[in-house]
Structures are given as C-alpha cells and as structure tokens.
Amino acid sequence: MNDDFLKDFREDPRPEFARSLHERIDAPVPPRRTFAFPAWKPALTWAGGLAALVLLFSFPSVRATAQEFLDLFRVKRFIAVPFDPARIAALKRDGVDLRHLLADDVEVLKEPGRPRQVDSTAEAGGLAGIRPVEPTAIPNGTEAPEIRVQGEGKVRLTADTAKLRMLLDALELKDVEIPAQLDGAVVTIDVPSAIVMNYKRGGDVISFVQARSPEIALPEGVDLSQLGEIGLRIAGMPADEAASFARSVDWHGTLLVPVPANAASFREINVQGTTGLLITTGGTGGAPVRSGPNRERQRSIVLWSEDGMVYALSGGAASVDLVEMANSVQ
Amino acid sequence: MEWIAPLAEPASEVNWDAVYVRELPRVYNFFRYRVGDGAVAEDLTSTTFEKAWRGRASYRHDAAAFSTWLFTIARNVATDHYRRQRAEVPIEEAAAQPSGADTPEQEALRRADFERLSHLLAELPERERELLALRYGADLTNRAIARVTGLSESNVGTILHRTVHALRARWEP
C-alpha cells in the first residue's frame, strides 16, 4: 500500500511550545494531604481487617454488593489482599458459616431501606447530606447517569469468638491467637448514606459511588493490629509476613479488600494526589476486546478516599478509562 | 513483601523525561492530523499531557501502558473538542508556524499540500480520520491502535487500507 503521501507531513512541535509545556506539567505535585483521625472519640476507631470481615459477612446490604468490592467500603486507604477462592469454597463445603463469623446476633439499629432514585446530583447531595461530586471525563458513548441514593444503615453486634476459633482451627491456623478483649465486645457499624451514579454505556454500566467513610465503634483495648493480622492469616498470608505486614499498616485507617488471587490483578494508583487501588478482572488492564471470539468481559474498580469521603468507580470499561474518570472527579 | 507482589512490580521506574520527548511529537501530530494544524493542535496536546501527567504515577513501572492511556486521553480530548466546536478548524490557521527546516518556497509548498490533505481528511468519517491520525500522525502500529480504540488489529488494518486507497485516489487523481 503506497501511503507515503500521508507520512510526509509529520513535524516536530515548536521547541518553545515543547519547553513551556514540559515546565508546566513537570511542576512539583502538591504534597499529599494527610487525614487526622478523630481524636475526640477514643472508643471510635476505623478497623481495617475487622471492617472487612464484619462488613462482608455480617451486614446484609453490604453483602449484596461485596462482589463488586463497592458501595459502602471505607476508610482512608485501601489495600488489596489476595485470597484463594478454593480455600473459601472448601470452608463452605465443610459447613463453616462465614456470614456470621463474629456474631450470630446482629441488631439492626437503622435500616438503610431501598435506594431512592433522584433527578439530579444536587438532589442526591441534599438527601445524602454531602456535597456531591461527579466525573467530568466520561468515555465516549456513555449516557447520562441514573442517580440513586442509598440510605444510612447502622448495626450493632456482639462478638462471639468461638466461631472465629472454629474457622481458624478449620484452616489449621492453630498458632493464631484471638484477643481476649474481642469476646463479648460490642461493635457498632454506622454506614452513612451513599450516592450511586450508574452510567450506561452499550451493554455495560459504570458505577460511581460516593459516601462518607463509615464509622466502626469498638471497645477500647481491642488490638486492631492483632485483628488485622488474623484477617491476613485467614486470607492465606504466611505467619511471618502477616505479622510484619500487620505492623506496617495503619489499622485505624486501612481497609483490606479481598481479591480473588486467580481472577484479578491489582495495583496502587494515584488518584488526584492520593493513593488509590485499581482492581481489574478479565483482562490485562488495557482496552477490552469488544468483539470477536476473544471478546472478554473486563471489569475494573478504582477505590480511593479523600477528606473523609470514600469513592468507588467500577464497571465494564477499560481500566484506563476508569482511572481517567477518577482523576476527573470534581 | 513478596506476598503482595502485584503491588511491587520489579520493573524499574519510568524515565518521564524520556517519555515526554518520545510521546510529545506523536500526540502533537495525532492532533494535527485529527483537527488540523496550528494553535488548536498545540492546545489539545497541552490538555492531553496535563491530564496524563496528573495520573502518571499509576504507570510508574509501565511506560507501554502509559502510552496506551495517553492516546486514550488524546482521543477523548479530540472528541470533546469537536463536541464544543462542531466545526473544523479554520484552514487559515494551517500556515501558522513554519517548520524551519525548508526554504521559504519549500515551506510554502509543504503547507499548501498539508492544507489540501487536511481538507481531504476533514471529509472522512470520524472513525476513519481518527485511525489515520493514530497511524500516520502518531505513528502507532496497528496493534497499538487496536489497544487504544478497542477495535481488533485486523479490523484496524482493513479500515486503514480501504481509507488510504480511497484517499490516494483523491490525492493523485
């Protein structure tokens, strides 16, 4: 194919343009904002590992969306923790009730109710009691979002460590110690109202969720690091690495996100100057193959937190599109 | 922390200065072929790099993935531009800056030729013009174009072949 006539017109940008643009984009990035833990409530803590366990297994509305790692998941930072799905499946076959791992008796203090559809982000913000934001970079072919508001939910549970002990035994984690203070501890979980914006794009939906970080109130004296370490061991991390990892994590502000080790990849990303988490399934992180025999259903989720809010973007879009959307939120 | 290896890829850090030097002419020429010559191409190039640079930390170990992402942004920037403009860039802008390497006569001839090509490109459907801009402006391979656009590599090749064939017939009647 003679296409020389098309190649001849490439030219270098003007040197002054190249130089000024480089100077502009290479300016130092503003320092990452830090978030102060609310010291006014010593009993109120954000528990990473425990939050993952409790919320995944004990709170119905969260269970419903846990497969998308989405919705009301929390705190200041997200860290992915690979787990072996076969390990969980084996536990279920053995009759281990993972849904009530910490407590049989879960008291619903406030029922979130059914999501309510609204006409605008402003209306959603009013209902949820937050200043709503939205992505400004939307992939081509995306429809205007359908907006829903999920009400606030609050539950209280009393921890019973006997079942947790059974689980650890079933996993042959006999060396793992459960903090004595946990048994009988009353844990209150408050999940604030959330705005869910669903963007339809062809046969896929991209969901953007924003909410205040939930509050998990624990009795004083419960060793969060120890609880986090238990969560890591249950996920399959070797004892020495779990201990080392647990020591390095700020358990007051870190949520572990369980990721199937054989079905997803993940990495830390920068979202508007904060550290976010990108999880991708069904592809390699580039643009999905949209047609032909190799068509694959790539799904990605971007999780990040800023200024006491948690955000999640997920859907069947290329991860690059989701990251771009996340960085355009304002 | 081997256990969470996906978080700690062993690859070395990307040299962003080198990436800038390599990608700037490609993005710039993508826009020249996509929207025309002149200040608009520079503006859209700036917008693309400003957006990409804000999120570049996500690709600190993977320059290839960054390049794909960069052109994904560039495509969206071009689409936004057309959404706002709903009109082609005035051809008068086409002779805005001399490239500096040729004599004035050669430069004038070259500008006139690119102006003529721009007219032909502007008459193409959006998809065809975008693929030509990615192939001949940005100098991407068909495989890279497939990654950026989501089309299959063979589909990219077929569309480009058909479009170039038709375009050449009009270029050299």
Side-chain angles (χ1 to χ4, degrees):
Chain A
M1 179 172 64
N2 181 1
D3 53 7
D4 290 345
F5 72 105
L6 282 162
K7 297 176 180 172
D8 292 341
F9 296 105
R10 278 198 289 266
E11 64 181 35
D12 288 335
R14 291 180 302 118
E16 54 270 36
F17 164 67
R19 193 167 47 248
S20 68
L21 175 59
H22 190 237
E23 287 171 0
R24 198 158 68 243
I25 63 175
D26 223 28
V29 176
R32 197 179 140 196
R33 274 173 271 182
T34 56
F35 308 93
F37 181 67
W40 46 272
K41 281 186 183 174
L44 180 68
T45 57
W46 298 93
L50 182 64
L53 289 173
V54 170
L55 295 178
L56 270 176
F57 303 137
S58 302
F59 196 28
S61 66
V62 173
R63 267 209 315 274
T65 55
Q67 284 186 331
E68 297 183 22
F69 310 107
L70 243 211
D71 210 14
L72 307 169
F73 274 61
R74 19 241 105 201
V75 272
K76 293 186 280 184
R77 190 175 181 192
F78 299 89
I79 291 184
V81 179
F83 72 91
D84 181 359
R87 189 177 168 98
I88 303 301
L91 288 173
K92 287 180 178 173
R93 277 199 305 274
D94 292 344
V96 176
D97 183 3
L98 293 171
R99 294 187 173 190
H100 298 94
L101 192 59
L102 280 180
D104 273 331
D105 185 22
V106 179
E107 181 185 2
V108 178
L109 303 176
K110 190 167 189 177
E111 177 62 53
R114 296 176 64 82
R116 178 173 162 186
Q117 188 161 350
V118 296
D119 294 329
S120 68
T121 49
E123 184 182 356
L127 277 175
I130 57 179
R131 188 182 72 80
V133 293
E134 56 188 315
T136 55
I138 308 295
N140 292 341
T142 304
E143 298 176 16
E146 175 195 85
I147 307 170
R148 294 176 186 271
V149 177
Q150 172 71 61
E152 179 188 4
K154 193 170 186 178
V155 297
R156 180 164 59 208
L157 56 91
T158 303
D160 173 3
T161 56
K163 288 195 170 183
L164 183 55
R165 182 74 264 167
M166 284 174 59
L167 171 68
L168 294 171
D169 289 345
L171 292 170
E172 298 186 349
L173 299 172
K174 299 185 186 304
D175 60 310
V176 175
E177 290 184 21
I178 300 172
Q181 307 94 315
L182 184 61
D183 198 24
V186 176
V187 179
T188 305
I189 304 166
D190 189 355
V191 183
S193 185
I195 300 174
V196 182
M197 304 173 74
N198 290 323
Y199 296 81
K200 288 185 183 171
R201 186 194 188 203
D204 289 318
V205 175
I206 298 173
S207 290
F208 175 52
V209 180
Q210 52 188 311
R212 280 203 184 89
S213 295
E215 291 184 347
I216 301 172
L218 284 169
E220 284 186 273
V222 175
D223 186 341
L224 293 176
S225 172
Q226 207 173 352
L227 292 180
E229 190 176 335
I230 291 173
L232 295 170
R233 295 294 305 279
I234 290 173
M237 189 182 282
D240 53 344
E241 290 187 18
S244 170
F245 186 65
R247 282 194 299 273
S248 69
V249 169
D250 169 18
W251 291 104
H252 291 96
T254 302
L255 178 66
L256 302 183
V257 182
V259 178
N262 60 348
S265 61
F266 57 87
R267 61 191 163 104
E268 283 189 330
I269 58 169
N270 183 299
V271 181
Q272 303 197 2
T274 69
T275 300
L277 176 64
L278 168 66
I279 302 169
T280 302
T281 62
T284 57
V289 177
R290 296 193 175 107
S291 60
N294 295 325
R295 186 176 193 276
E296 54 188 23
R297 299 282 293 178
Q298 185 187 71
R299 290 187 62 79
S300 299
I301 178 165
V302 179
L303 297 165
W304 76 102
S305 175
E306 188 174 17
D307 287 341
M309 297 286 294
V310 288
Y311 303 97
L313 256 170
S314 71
S319 55
V320 290
D321 288 338
L322 287 186
V323 173
E324 188 185 354
M325 283 180 76
N327 274 300
S328 75
V329 165
Q330 55 185 264
Chain B
M1 186 65 65
E2 291 177 4
W3 196 80
I4 50 172
L7 283 177
E9 297 172 40
S12 59
E13 291 278 326
V14 168
N15 179 339
W16 292 110
D17 286 343
V19 169
Y20 179 79
V21 169
R22 185 182 68 238
E23 300 292 353
L24 177 66
R26 297 169 67 183
V27 172
Y28 173 65
N29 281 290
F30 164 75
F31 283 119
R32 287 181 64 244
Y33 279 63
R34 184 76 175 83
V35 303
D37 215 341
V40 175
E42 289 188 353
D43 286 347
L44 299 184
T45 300
S46 295
T47 302
T48 300
F49 272 89
E50 284 162 0
K51 294 175 79 169
W53 240 238
R54 280 202 300 269
R56 64 179 162 158
S58 310
Y59 298 91
R60 62 185 184 275
H61 297 303
D62 193 346
F66 176 79
S67 178
T68 300
W69 186 56
L70 182 66
F71 278 98
T72 303
I73 293 173
R75 289 178 70 213
N76 289 337
V77 167
T79 301
D80 288 345
H81 167 74
Y82 277 125
R83 218 176 264 153
R84 287 194 305 272
Q85 295 291 108
R86 289 287 170 215
E88 293 299 314
V89 174
I91 282 306
E92 289 75 25
E93 288 190 27
Q97 299 107 20
S99 64
D102 301 326
T103 65
E105 293 77 16
Q106 288 171 323
E107 183 61 38
L109 190 60
R110 182 181 157 80
R111 289 289 162 194
D113 280 348
F114 188 63
E115 183 178 330
R116 184 169 154 243
L117 179 64
S118 294
H119 275 298
L120 295 178
L121 292 174
E123 291 170 3
L124 293 174
E126 280 288 302
R127 185 183 66 172
E128 278 72 1
R129 184 170 190 183
E130 180 175 64
L131 293 183
L132 283 177
L134 289 167
R135 179 68 188 91
Y136 296 101
D139 199 22
L140 297 186
T141 63
N142 289 1
R143 178 168 296 182
I145 294 171
R147 281 199 300 270
V148 170
T149 60
L151 296 169
S152 70
E153 189 178 345
S154 62
N155 200 10
V156 169
T158 302
I159 296 169
L160 281 173
H161 187 275
R162 193 179 57 226
T163 307
V164 170
H165 183 76
L167 202 58
R168 195 177 62 233
R170 300 184 62 195
W171 181 254
E172 299 167 342

